[in-house]
């Protein structure tokens, strides 16, 4: 190992967690090799290209990536053997896709099998993925032990689920408390020491893998349920002619109330999947969950509800209508459009016959209905729907809509409270809150 680095680390998975995590370690004077099965992604990263919307002390992740590549402190590869050869610390950030409501362990299994082929005595494997309860002990450990080594005796095995929010990754890897567990005390201590290289926050030991696994899931599920509550509340406020965002703001003045914000749905990789990771453990225990699946149904229904609001406001039949969709990311100030409710709104409108033109300045070209400017999205549209905020989107001055929207009674469905009432009532364009 080169003496100029504290440690050499292999990070498996270079997505929205793995890439900023890798760069956090390089900023702490470690040398990192990132591994991903996506050859095109690896090529982009090694060319200094990423679409992540992350910053460290005001410096964009793109600049950090190019600097660390030039220093030689970071590189990406598709070859696990290259990454594992000289390291003692291995971090796994590969997730579990949910397909038809069922977690798919396939990508994680393939990752762990590749690690097992290069695992050495004294190595630490630290898993940071969100898992189905029991998976560390019942899946991860046996797969790694295919190496012929025993966890807790020949190599260290730890679990510390990540807790970051996209857009704040660098900050939260440093400041967010970390829950850590291990197959034994020695593994927990090794994992905590590695995490301690980048965090200044409290490192909290869990008594078992299972406690850490469930704690991570309930963190996400609690937000999913909270958002479902206010999304369902918005049906009531709409029927009463009230603004749901105002009602939430007023309720939150109570010192023991902390409602989240309603919106067009819940997207991304974490919150929508968390219940589906917990459900197998509940079924295995013979339990029938009630509240959590109900919350999922409420949030899953939101994109169609928002699309139906747009359809009701159209001054012409859907087949003759054009609608501007503003924002495609799964949440504000993100380039991540995985499981995005905004995309589902656009798709429902298209299925209804509407011509959709969508603009998001940071989501890479992915969908046939995307256009590359706000003007192209709005020009000649009968209405618009605001589904995510980005820098400059939606326009600060809502009178801009009047210059582009066409026909009688142009409207903007505001699902993000970009233009709070009552000021919106004085505009030349009708602003309709969620």
């Amino acid at each position: 190992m080169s003496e100029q680095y504290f440690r050499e680390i292999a990070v498996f998975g270079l997505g929205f967690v793995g890439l900023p995590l890798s760069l956090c370690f390089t900023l702490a004077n470690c040398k990192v090799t990132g591994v991903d099965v996506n050859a095109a992604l690896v090529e982009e990263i090694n060319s200094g290209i990423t679409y992540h919307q992350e910053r460290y002390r005001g410096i964009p992740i793109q600049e950090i990536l190019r600097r660390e590549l030039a220093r030689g402190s970071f590189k990406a590869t598709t070859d696990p053997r290259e990454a594992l050869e000289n390291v003692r610390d291995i971090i796994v950030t590969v997730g579990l896709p949910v397909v038809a409501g069922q977690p798919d362990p396939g990508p994680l299994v393939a990752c762990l099998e590749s690690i097992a082929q290069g695992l050495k005595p004294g190595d630490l494997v630290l898993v940071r993925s969100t898992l189905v309860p029991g998976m560390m002990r019942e899946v991860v450990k046996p797969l790694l032990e295919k190496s012929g080594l025993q966890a807790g005796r020949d190599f260290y095995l730890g679990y510390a689920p990540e807790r970051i929010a996209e857009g704040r990754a660098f900050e939260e890897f440093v400041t967010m408390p970390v829950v850590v567990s291990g197959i034994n005390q020695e593994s927990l201590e090794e994992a905590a020491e590695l995490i301690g290289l980048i965090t200044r926050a409290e490192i909290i030991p869990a008594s078992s893998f299972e406690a850490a696994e469930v704690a991570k899931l309930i963190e996400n599920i609690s937000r999913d349920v909270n958002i479902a509550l206010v999304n369902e509340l918005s049906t009531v406020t709409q029927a009463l002619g009230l603004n749901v965002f105002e009602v939430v703001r007023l309720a939150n003045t109570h010192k023991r109330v902390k409602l989240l914000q309603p919106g067009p749905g819940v997207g991304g990789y974490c919150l929508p999947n968390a219940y589906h990771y917990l459900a197998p453990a509940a079924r295995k225990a013979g339990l029938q969950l009630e509240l959590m699946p109900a919350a999922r149904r409420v949030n899953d229904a939101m994109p169609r509800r928002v699309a139906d609001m747009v359809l009701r406001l159209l001054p012409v039949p859907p087949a003759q209508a054009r609608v501007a969709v503003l924002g495609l990311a799964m949440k504000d100030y993100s380039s991540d459009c995985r499981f995005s409710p905004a995309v589902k709104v656009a798709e429902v409108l298209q299925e209804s016959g509407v011509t959709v033109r969508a603009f998001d300045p940071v989501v890479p070209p992915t969908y046939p209905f995307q256009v590359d400017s706000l003007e192209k999205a709005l020009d000649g549209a009968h209405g618009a729907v605001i589904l995510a905020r980005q820098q400059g989107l939606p326009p600060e001055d809502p009178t801009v809509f009047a210059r582009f929207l066409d026909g009688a009674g142009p409207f903007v469905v505001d699902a993000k409270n970009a233009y709070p009432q009552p000021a919106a009532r004085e505009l030349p364009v009708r602003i309709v809150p969620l």
Side-chain angles (χ1 to χ4, degrees):
M1 182 174 70
S2 173
E3 293 182 1
Q4 66 179 341
Y5 298 110
F6 290 136
R7 297 203 187 195
E8 292 194 16
I9 301 169
V11 175
F12 281 72
L14 291 175
F16 287 90
V17 173
L19 181 59
L21 178 61
S22 297
L23 296 176
C24 273
F25 276 105
T26 66
L27 292 170
N29 205 32
C30 297
K31 186 174 184 178
V32 178
T33 302
V35 185
D36 203 285
V37 296
N38 186 332
L41 176 64
V42 166
E43 183 178 356
E44 279 186 345
I45 289 173
N46 280 333
S47 299
I49 298 170
T50 177
Y51 298 100
H52 296 190
Q53 298 298 297
E54 301 287 355
R55 289 178 173 269
Y56 174 70
R57 296 180 177 174
I59 303 172
I61 188 174
Q62 291 79 8
E63 185 176 331
I64 297 169
L65 173 60
R66 290 191 292 269
R67 186 182 67 198
E68 299 305 308
L69 287 166
R71 282 183 59 212
S73 60
F74 175 76
K75 66 177 178 180
T77 182
T78 58
D79 184 359
R81 292 170 298 180
E82 178 186 358
L84 293 171
E85 187 175 3
N86 296 314
V87 306
R88 293 296 182 192
D89 298 302
I90 303 158
I91 300 175
V92 177
T93 70
V94 175
L96 290 149
V98 172
V99 180
Q102 298 298 318
D104 176 13
L108 179 62
V109 168
C111 170
L112 295 168
E113 288 177 339
S114 70
I115 291 172
Q117 292 176 16
L119 197 61
K120 306 177 295 300
D123 283 355
L124 164 67
V125 180
L126 175 61
V127 179
R128 303 221 61 183
S129 313
T130 304
L131 301 177
V132 173
M135 189 170 278
M136 276 300 298
R137 203 175 302 277
E138 298 167 11
V139 176
V140 175
K141 178 177 177 288
L143 285 172
L144 292 174
E145 288 181 340
K146 286 184 176 181
S147 62
L149 305 175
Q150 182 178 326
R153 185 190 70 186
D154 304 313
F155 70 94
Y156 304 103
L157 180 59
Y159 180 59
E162 61 79 18
R163 302 168 116 182
I164 61 153
E166 288 176 30
R168 299 197 295 271
F170 286 104
E171 171 197 348
E172 294 194 348
F173 277 130
V174 175
T175 62
M176 180 68 73
V178 186
V179 172
V180 182
S181 56
I183 191 68
N184 56 12
Q185 183 63 27
E186 292 77 14
S187 292
L188 190 154
E189 291 171 0
E190 288 288 324
E193 182 182 346
L194 178 60
I195 291 167
L197 294 177
I198 62 169
T199 187
R200 297 195 302 267
E202 184 180 5
I203 297 175
I204 305 160
S207 63
S208 65
F209 285 146
E210 291 78 10
E213 288 166 334
V214 175
K216 167 60 181 178
L217 295 181
I218 204 63
E219 291 170 17
N220 289 344
I221 292 170
S222 68
R223 284 176 283 164
D224 196 27
V225 171
N226 190 315
I227 294 169
L229 170 63
V230 291
N231 279 341
E232 189 164 64
L233 171 66
S234 70
T235 64
V236 178
T237 55
Q238 195 170 67
L240 297 176
L242 302 173
N243 185 311
V244 65
F245 296 100
E246 180 188 12
V247 170
V248 168
R249 177 178 60 81
L250 295 173
N252 279 344
T253 61
H254 191 295
K255 292 182 179 180
R256 291 188 296 277
V257 175
K258 192 174 182 180
L259 298 172
L260 299 179
Q261 294 298 303
V266 175
Y269 204 86
C270 294
L271 268 62
N273 287 344
Y275 162 71
H276 297 295
Y277 295 152
L278 186 64
R283 286 194 295 269
K284 188 175 179 180
L287 300 175
Q288 181 68 42
L289 301 179
E290 302 287 348
L291 177 61
M292 298 178 218
R296 278 283 75 236
R297 289 192 295 272
V298 169
N299 287 333
D300 282 344
M302 284 303 295
R304 180 165 292 278
R305 185 181 148 219
V306 173
D308 286 344
M309 288 176 64
V310 174
L311 293 171
R312 287 195 300 269
L313 291 164
L314 289 174
V316 296
Q320 301 171 22
R322 281 180 51 187
V323 170
V325 169
L326 306 185
L328 286 171
M330 62 90 176
K331 69 170 192 172
D332 297 343
Y333 309 110
S334 169
S335 63
D336 188 357
C337 56
R338 295 174 299 172
F339 307 105
S340 173
V343 172
K344 290 192 176 298
V345 171
E347 291 172 344
V348 172
L349 291 173
Q350 277 199 322
E351 291 165 5
S352 302
V354 174
T355 298
V356 172
R357 292 186 181 175
F359 174 62
D360 191 308
V362 299
V363 170
T366 308
Y367 304 98
F369 46 74
Q370 273 181 272
V371 294
D372 59 8
S373 72
L374 178 65
E375 291 76 14
K376 289 180 181 177
L378 291 174
D379 192 24
H382 295 94
V385 55
I386 300 168
L387 300 173
R389 295 192 192 214
Q390 305 287 9
Q391 289 296 330
L393 185 74
E396 186 174 334
D397 180 5
T399 62
V400 167
F401 292 110
R403 299 206 306 267
F404 291 98
L405 298 183
D406 191 29
F411 64 89
V412 176
V413 172
D414 184 2
K416 302 300 292 186
N417 199 32
Y419 308 114
Q421 303 280 346
R425 295 177 185 150
E426 312 303 322
L427 298 172
V429 174
R430 183 183 178 193
I431 305 290
V432 182
L434 189 65

